[in-house]
Every structure is written in structure tokens, then in C-alpha cells.
Amino acid sequence: MCGIAGIAGQEWTPAEREQLFAALAHRGPDDRGHFSAPEVTLMHLRLSILDTSPRGAQPMSSPDGRYSLIHNGEIYNFREIQAQLPAQEWKTETDTEVILAAYAHWGKDFLHRLNGMFALAIWDQEERTLLVARDRMGIKPLYFQVENGSLRFASEVRALMKIGSRPPRLNHSALANYLCYMTTYGAQSLVEGVEMLGAGEYMVWKLGKIERDSFWKPGDFNQEGKHHDRAQAQKRVLELLSKAVERRMLSDVPLGAFLSGGIDSSAIVALMAQASDQPVDTFSVIFQEKEFDESPWSQMVADRYNTRHHPILLKPQDFLDQLPAALAAMDHPSGDGINSYVVAGVTRAQGITVALSGLGGDELFAGYPVFTQLPGILQSAPMRLPAPLRRLLGSVYGTFRKGRQAAKKTALLKLPQADFQRVYPVYRTIFDWPVSKQLVGQEGLGHPLQGIVAEADQFSEMLSKVSWGEIRSYTQSVLLRDMDQMSMAHALEARVPFFDHELVEYVLGIPDQVKWPGYPKQLLVEAMGDLLPGEVVHRKKMGFVFPWEQWLRGELKAWAQERWKRLAERGIVDPNFLMKVWNEFQRGQGPWLWIHIWVWVVLEDWMERNSVES
């Protein structure tokens, strides 16, 4: 886990390099280095995980000097890849050296062989080409700019904003996307001219021209699960998840796990304990408030697997106190992520450098309400009516019913067609998409989820469609992005075994009749068998919810109002409308939820901190 940056088509000056090193310093506190040649500069900041000696430093070049590499992340199967390569004298114990050799041997096709999380760049001195690529699941970020034939890239948006002759400007075409979903989906960022390389994508730069393509897409997935019955699926899920966990325990520095006491984190800890001959370090955030506290279940799992357990007591005020630091760590605006910042901080403070997370279990094994609710919506009597009747019903319903849920039901009824491709994007909104576009004067924009739901149509099973929609939208653009920016703020590497691409491909191929959850995540629970305590499996799902509504009307009111007023002065949105929303929210009137306030406040705070012009 590190920070990377680079440019092809020109070189960065020493002063520019220093600016970039400073911007990314939190991602790699252990070492830094750069490689420069005519037309290219590659930069790396190291958080040492494998072979912590100086031999593992980056940028790393091949023995003949032809190839130079920087990468952020971990390749978990690098030993397997190493065994497939021609015999040579290996000088390090790193995955970096193996990546270089794999590229020299297979060219860009080596990407198909990697199992891991990564953002990488390889310069070919002979061909004068730069390959830039990102892992299949989009766990590691990579932002880029193309300007006058040059390609710039970095692990964080803020790094790219430090370089350039022009001040960063807000991307108004992405703003509607942000309002609708509290983040930006797809390639766009909130900075004009800065994009995010897609999950499972690569770019090749040569002589000012760029070739861009995907090396991982649904049509190429392994279809093994399609032909398995329930017993076969349970066995295979356990095999693949066990292998994914074992791979992610590869580390030369202290390693632990987040343990909430829920199904997903408990499954990860159980499999870690099986794979280790030493007690696992586990970390749980606990609360005094019984309605939020999950310590009885996390302690139960810790006791069962004899972990070195670290319960960490936090109060709501602790989150409030750390809010300024968490917002300062936010590389790209998000409506979430504060909890990730706090949990990562207390874990790193215990001396842990690598932590495994249960993120991904809900998305793969139908753990969210959307998995069962959305099929119900599609099959409901109102949605099966002819379109003209549905639109009429929607108009009548919207006249007599008010509020956020009523507005969403009205939008669903008014859809031209009641299919997954149209219903799913509406289900996931915060602000309605037409309203979001109108607010920022971008009425002609296409929907940000259109491409994602089009990809989902390649799956024949409804649960797999929803899984793909969840992974490619909210998970990649909010959960994974927040996990990266907030954990790396503390130089902590977070790993997600449920997003091992071999496991993902298999589960997405399983038929609905095998995967359908009679209770939450039934297939995963059955696959784990007696490894999970029954009390953990069948307890009520919990989770700490910040009292944002109370804070925005109390402790945070003055702070938020100050930013709200400055946002109104920018003229991005009608200031009269903004003040109307603020006043109605403060009085408890109108359809406004705390998140409608929070996304605007976070945006203004981020623009101020990073000198982003509107």
C-alpha cells in the first residue's frame, strides 16, 4: 500500500516533485523515490509491507533497465506467478519484482494473471510507452488527466490539483451525479479535467496518444457456479473464501482484522484463525449505548477463536471531535467515511499496519434489503400496469403523498418502462436525478448509472444483476473509495477478501434459486457451517448511526451554516433555494433529510480546503 504519481509526455520539475511528495506523504511514510527520463517521471511513496528492506524500494527497474515500475497495493498470488516465469535470480522478496518480470514476459496480458488490489504504471524505455492499470474490483484508486498530449496520474485527486498552471475548477457536469448519489459514479470526478480510471481498466500512452480498454468484464467471467446445486455452491464458496483470506494474510508487518461481530467480519476472523498458527489480532469498536453495542457478539467470536482482542470504546463525541481531521483527510467528497477514519486511526494506533475487513459480504450474498425489495417492486401490481396508467397513478399518488419515500415511489411509477435498468437507479437516489440536474443547470445529462446497469444486463439472474449494480456503483464509489482515503490517512492497509475476483466471478454465476436469501446471506452462512456461532448468525443486524440530524441542528449548526452561506455565495445553485432548504431543515419542515444538508456542507468544506474554484 503506497502512493504513486507519474507523467508521460513531459517531465516534472524538482519543485513539482516535492509538491507531489508532500501531497501524498501520508500514504507512504517509510520511503520515497522517483524515476525520470525524457518524456516521463514516475514517483512512489512507500508503506512497507513485503520485504521491508531497501531492496523493495520503488520505482523498481528490470535488470536490463528497459522497464521501470511503480505500484500501489498487493499482488497476493505473486509466488504462483513467479513459479510460471523463466528461471532467474530474484533479488527481492517483493511482488514488485515479479510484476516487472511478468510484464517483460507476457506484455500487458500479464494483467489477467494478477490476483490482488493494485494501481500500477510501467514505463517501457525501448518502446517509449507507459502502461497504467487498475485492479478488477476498483479497490485501489487511480486518477488521471490528459492535457496537450501528456498523461498525468496519481493515487489521489488532491495530488493532481497541486500541479498545473490553472487552479482546480469544480466539474459541474459531475455535480448532479454527486447530489443524486452522494458521490460520483463512473469515470468523472468533481474536478474539471480529472477522471478516475475504471475498475479492471488499463491505458497505454505512446507519443501523446492513449489506448484505453478493460481487461475484466462480465462476458469473460468464469461460469463455474452456473451449474452447481446448493451443496456444491456451499463447498465451493468456502474453498474460495478460505483461499482469499489466506492469500491476504501475506505480510511482513503486524496484521489484524476488523471484527464487528456480524456475519461477514466473523467469517473472515474464523478463516484467519484456521490459516494461522498464531492468535489473530482483532479490533472492535464498542459503545456504551446498548442499542448500538455489538461487543457481546464480537467478544463471542474472539473467545471462540482465541484472538488477541482489542475492544475500543468510543462515544459519539469522539466522532464529533475527529470530524475536522476526517474532513481534512477526504481526498474526494463523499457523504460517508467518517466512521472509517476513526476506526482506522484507533487500529493503527495499536501498532497494526494491515487489517482485513468484511466489506463485500452484503454485496455478494444478498445482504442488503435492495436484493429482495427490488424484485418485489418489479413484480408488484402497480409496476405491471401499462405505462400510461402507471404515470397517471404516479401523478395522483404524488399529489396526495409527500416526503422522500413518496417522491421515490412517484418517480418509480412514472418510469417509461418498469425494468431493472430503470428501476434500480431510482431506488438508489438521495436527490431525484431530474431534480439534481435541474438544480445545477445540467438538464441534458445522461444518467450516471446507465452504463453500469447496462453491464448488469449481461447477467441472467436478478440477484447477480443487483450485486453488479451495487459493486459498480455505491461500493466502488463510496465504500471502497472511503476505505482507501480514510485508512491511508493513517498509513493503514485495508484488505477485502470478499472482493477476491475469483470468488466474485463464482458467486455472480450462481443461480438465484441457490443463492436466494431465506434469511440474510443464507448461502454464506451455510457455506461457513459451524464456523459461525448461531447467536451471531441469527441476531438482529446492528450498526452505529451517527446522530447527524441532531448535530446539524445543534453542535454542528454554526459550523455547517457558515459553509452553507459561503456555498450560496458561489452561485452554483440558486441561493434562495439553498436558504429555503436550510431553514426548512432547521424547523423540521419539508422533505429534507440530514444527508441532503451534509452532501452540500462536505462539498463546500472540500472546495475551501483545496482551493477549488466554482
Side-chain angles (χ1 to χ4, degrees), residues 310-379:
H310 308 268
I312 302 162
L313 177 65
L314 290 177
K315 301 176 182 178
Q317 187 63 40
D318 295 322
F319 290 87
L320 196 59
D321 291 343
Q322 294 193 52
L323 181 60
L327 289 171
M330 192 172 285
D331 177 52
H332 191 273
S334 166
D336 207 346
I338 309 303
N339 56 338
S340 298
Y341 178 85
V342 176
V343 173
V346 294
T347 302
R348 189 69 174 94
Q350 298 290 324
I352 297 296
T353 306
V354 178
L356 272 64
S357 165
L359 195 155
D362 285 314
E363 289 81 0
L364 276 187
F365 295 98
Y368 293 138
V370 64
F371 284 92
T372 52
Q373 290 177 1
L374 192 140
I377 291 170
L378 291 171
Q379 296 164 14

Side-chain angles (χ1 to χ4, degrees), residues 89 94 187 208 296 368:
E89 181 183 350
T94 67
Y368 293 138

